[in-house]
């Protein structure tokens, strides 16, 4: 794998119900800046996205936002990021973020965050892209999600090896290090019929 110079982060446009989430966003932003990794994200100043970008910028890091025309028109663009693009739709936004990034991280968030992460995980599984991806598991947020992934495995809708095709980590530095050393899973997604 090539060195990670840019990572797309999917996360909430709300800050959540615990200070642990905002603290985690700050620590991830600082870790990106310390590692010289460019942040690719949704471009807004809202929620955890804004907290993450603020922390990165305060640590002299670089952020590139990709925002939809509708959100841009609502004034949601972060005013201090170094670069941004305005696209027409969410589909274009996700595609452009994938093009710009060497890997992906999902932080706590809502249905949009989960949908964005699941799309890139699926693209990796199908071999359409080969980029590392991980969950920043602040405050155990993704534990129930991983329990559901285990249920998929138990019910034979997902090969067990594919559970390990993503990094799940609660420490930002360990997360970035694991993504840097990511090895693709070579096991096909199709299971034999019973």
């Amino acid at each position: 794998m090539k060195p990670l110079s840019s990572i797309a982060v999917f996360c909430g446009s709300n800050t959540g119900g615990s200070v642990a989430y905002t603290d985690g966003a700050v620590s991830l932003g600082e870790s990106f800046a310390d590692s010289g990794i460019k942040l690719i994200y949704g471009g807004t100043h809202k929620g955890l996205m804004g907290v993450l970008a603020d922390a990165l910028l305060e640590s002299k890091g670089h952020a590139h936002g990709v925002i939809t025309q509708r959100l841009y028109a609502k004034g949601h663009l972060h005013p201090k990021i170094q670069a941004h693009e305005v696209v027409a739709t969410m589909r274009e936004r996700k595609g452009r973020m994938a093009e710009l990034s060497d890997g992906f991280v999902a932080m706590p968030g809502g249905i949009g965050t989960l949908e964005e992460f699941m799309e890139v995980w699926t693209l990796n599984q199908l071999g359409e892209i080969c980029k590392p991806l991980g969950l920043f598991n602040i405050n155990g947020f993704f534990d129930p999600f991983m329990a559901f992934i285990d249920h998929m495995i138990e019910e034979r809708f997902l090969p067990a090896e594919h559970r390990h095709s993503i990094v799940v980590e609660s420490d930002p530095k360990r997360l970035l290090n694991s993504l840097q050393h990511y090895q693709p899973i070579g096991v096909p997604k199709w299971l034999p019929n019973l």
Side-chain angles (χ1 to χ4, degrees), residues 137-148:
N137 195 23
I138 302 167
N139 208 30
F141 181 83
F142 288 108
D143 291 349
F145 172 76
M146 293 310 297
F148 184 62

Side-chain angles (χ1 to χ4, degrees), residues 4-187:
L4 300 178
S5 61
S6 60
I7 294 178
V9 176
F10 310 124
C11 62
S13 57
N14 292 303
T15 55
S18 169
V19 70
Y21 300 129
T22 51
D23 288 348
V26 168
S27 67
L28 186 62
E30 292 170 348
S31 295
F32 268 50
D34 291 346
S35 301
I37 296 171
K38 182 191 297 185
L39 169 65
I40 310 297
Y41 85 118
T44 82
H45 58 81
K46 298 286 186 184
L48 291 183
M49 287 194 275
V51 175
L52 173 68
D54 286 343
L56 175 126
L57 294 169
E58 287 171 18
S59 297
K60 310 300 183 204
H62 188 91
H64 185 118
V66 183
I67 192 168
T68 63
Q69 178 63 49
R70 189 177 68 81
L71 294 176
Y72 180 77
K74 289 179 175 285
H76 289 203
L77 179 67
H78 195 297
K80 295 182 180 176
I81 58 176
Q82 295 95 337
H84 75 272
E85 302 175 30
V86 180
V87 296
T89 66
M90 286 296 289
R91 283 195 177 101
E92 288 180 57
R93 181 194 207 183
K94 291 185 297 179
R96 186 64 181 136
M97 288 173 68
E99 288 173 4
L100 291 168
S101 63
D102 300 322
F104 307 92
V105 167
M107 291 176 52
I111 58 175
T113 299
L114 186 59
E115 185 271 336
E116 290 167 327
F117 179 77
M118 291 303 287
E119 180 171 312
V120 292
W121 194 2
T122 301
L123 293 174
N124 258 11
Q125 185 188 50
L126 292 172
E128 294 187 21
I129 61 172
C130 184
K131 297 182 179 184
L133 58 157
L135 297 172
F136 186 23
N137 195 23
I138 302 167
N139 208 30
F141 181 83
F142 288 108
D143 291 349
F145 172 76
M146 293 310 297
F148 184 62
I149 297 301
D150 289 336
H151 181 63
M152 287 181 187
I153 292 166
E154 289 165 13
E155 295 297 320
R156 295 183 49 79
F157 287 102
L158 183 71
E161 295 85 354
H162 286 226
R163 189 190 200 281
H164 305 291
S165 65
I166 61 171
V167 174
V168 182
E169 185 56 71
S170 60
D171 178 84
K173 294 190 185 309
R174 288 198 304 264
L175 174 68
L176 295 180
N177 184 61
S178 295
L179 291 173
Q180 190 66 64
H181 295 95
Y182 170 85
Q183 293 295 319
I185 299 295
V187 176

